[in-house]
Amino acid sequence: MPDTIERVCFLLTLRPERIEDYLAAHDTVWPDMLSALRAAGWTNYSLFLRPADGLVVGYLETPDFAAAQAAMAATEINARWQARMAEYFQPSSPTEPGARPDETLHRLTEYFHLD
């Protein structure tokens, strides 16, 4: 196991009228999707929601986030999941038309950590 783990925090924004549907979709995340995330190195993964405006905050730990993202992007199950989730999110930015939700997440910069 690597000596360092990346702590990754990211933001996404839901369509306000689809928040309840999005939450319901996560009541039963597909087992194959969960397995793919684990196999790709996503650990300690959580999603948080600010219901007032649909802000989603994600957090995960992984040895290499770029490699974890690439591993997920290479799976068929992720392509299907992202296609299903796309309807819940605000449209992607004009610079990324048609991008999947996992391609438009806004990663935050970690600048302090207390063990």
Side-chain angles (χ1 to χ4, degrees), residues 95-108:
T95 59
E96 302 172 86
R100 300 181 328 202
D102 65 338
E103 296 170 330
T104 62
L105 58 85
H106 301 282
R107 185 173 177 179
L108 302 178

Side-chain angles (χ1 to χ4, degrees), residues 68-107:
Q69 282 186 300
M72 285 306 295
T75 67
E76 181 274 335
I77 190 71
N78 187 60
R80 285 194 297 126
W81 181 263
Q82 295 304 321
R84 179 164 183 239
M85 293 297 110
E87 68 186 76
Y88 303 121
F89 289 94
Q90 293 285 0
S92 56
S93 72
T95 59
E96 302 172 86
R100 300 181 328 202
D102 65 338
E103 296 170 330
T104 62
L105 58 85
H106 301 282
R107 185 173 177 179

Side-chain angles (χ1 to χ4, degrees), residues 4-25:
T4 59
I5 295 291
E6 280 186 70
R7 290 178 298 275
V8 178
C9 186
F10 62 86
L11 303 176
L12 291 162
T13 306
L14 294 171
R15 296 173 185 264
E17 71 277 10
R18 299 305 308 273
I19 291 172
E20 292 305 317
D21 299 328
Y22 173 79
L23 292 174

